[in-house]
Amino acid sequence: MEYDGLSHLDRDRLRHDRDRMNWLDANGWRMRYFTDRDLYARPTHILKTLRSALTP
């Protein structure tokens, strides 16, 4: 699970994030990404999404 705040909109940070995301994917990680709206206004959406991702 990852939350990207405003600092991730910086061009260099975004490049780093994309490289890391690709590395995680290539190494078998299943990531889920959330926004500030999810974190502060829709926490149940986060829980449902994670529950679904972790259920075989």
Side-chain angles (χ1 to χ4, degrees), residues 12-33:
D12 289 332
R13 182 61 183 245
L14 183 61
R15 288 178 181 140
H16 172 76
D17 286 348
R18 294 299 180 255
D19 286 342
R20 186 176 43 76
M21 288 174 185
N22 289 334
W23 183 90
L24 288 168
D25 184 65
N27 286 278
W29 288 81
R30 297 180 333 171
M31 297 296 292
R32 297 297 180 268
Y33 302 94

Side-chain angles (χ1 to χ4, degrees), residues 1-14:
M1 174 182 146
E2 186 166 296
Y3 162 73
D4 295 331
L6 284 176
S7 67
H8 292 266
L9 298 178
D10 174 77
R11 183 182 301 266
D12 289 332
R13 182 61 183 245
L14 183 61

Side-chain angles (χ1 to χ4, degrees), residues 16-52:
H16 172 76
D17 286 348
R18 294 299 180 255
D19 286 342
R20 186 176 43 76
M21 288 174 185
N22 289 334
W23 183 90
L24 288 168
D25 184 65
N27 286 278
W29 288 81
R30 297 180 333 171
M31 297 296 292
R32 297 297 180 268
Y33 302 94
F34 300 97
T35 66
D36 56 339
R37 182 181 69 159
D38 299 324
L39 186 62
Y40 298 112
R42 303 182 336 152
T44 55
H45 167 71
I46 293 174
L47 293 174
K48 287 179 185 178
T49 301
L50 294 177
R51 189 176 295 121
S52 176

